[in-house]
Amino acid sequence: MDDIEEGFRWLFGHQLMPRHRADWMTGSDDVILEFLDDSGAGHNLQGIANNFEDREVSISYKTITRRLPKLHEAGLVRTLPGDGKYYAISERGREYLQGEVDLRDEPEPE
């Protein structure tokens, strides 16, 4: 477990579940998914970055802008309808966090 994941678990008190991450995924992906799951709401890129800064989670805006499209293409997050682009966790994303989906053979999204 890397420092980011440990810091996030401490902040939100989540128990770690056995997860089967795809080779292309990073620890930041798990942190982003955990945040979206915990918040229960949709957030735009800057909103996620602001929340991380407030919680002293060291994931940059640049990383968020790179990782969210990959998570979206993999079906782990969804975009909400309406003005602007807001991201929320998908059912598949929740299943991954709970250790119910094995992503080890998942190809890397473009």
Side-chain angles (χ1 to χ4, degrees):
M1 172 184 336
D2 64 26
D3 291 337
I4 293 171
E5 290 171 318
E6 181 61 31
F8 190 78
R9 187 171 68 99
W10 175 81
L11 284 171
F12 294 100
H14 288 289
Q15 292 289 102
L16 290 180
M17 301 291 183
R19 296 181 186 148
H20 303 290
R21 185 186 295 162
D23 289 340
W24 55 265
M25 292 178 74
T26 68
S28 295
D29 295 338
D30 282 353
V31 174
I32 292 167
L33 292 170
E34 288 278 358
F35 168 74
L36 292 173
D37 187 43
D38 184 68
S39 74
H43 298 273
N44 64 17
L45 298 171
Q46 189 62 57
I48 295 169
N50 291 346
N51 275 280
F52 285 175
E53 185 177 326
D54 289 348
R55 291 169 172 81
E56 298 180 359
V57 175
S58 59
I59 298 177
S60 70
Y61 178 81
K62 185 176 178 179
T63 298
I64 294 165
T65 62
R66 281 194 334 262
R67 301 312 303 168
L68 266 171
K70 287 193 179 273
L71 296 173
H72 182 261
E73 287 297 316
L76 300 172
V77 299
R78 59 190 176 91
T79 55
L80 301 176
D83 293 336
K85 198 170 227 179
Y86 287 81
Y87 294 91
I89 194 163
S90 68
E91 186 59 34
R92 185 170 192 235
R94 279 192 188 92
E95 290 170 350
Y96 163 73
L97 290 178
Q98 295 168 359
E100 297 172 3
V101 173
D102 186 342
L103 300 178
R104 289 178 286 193
D105 293 328
E106 185 81 18
E108 183 170 1
E110 300 279 327

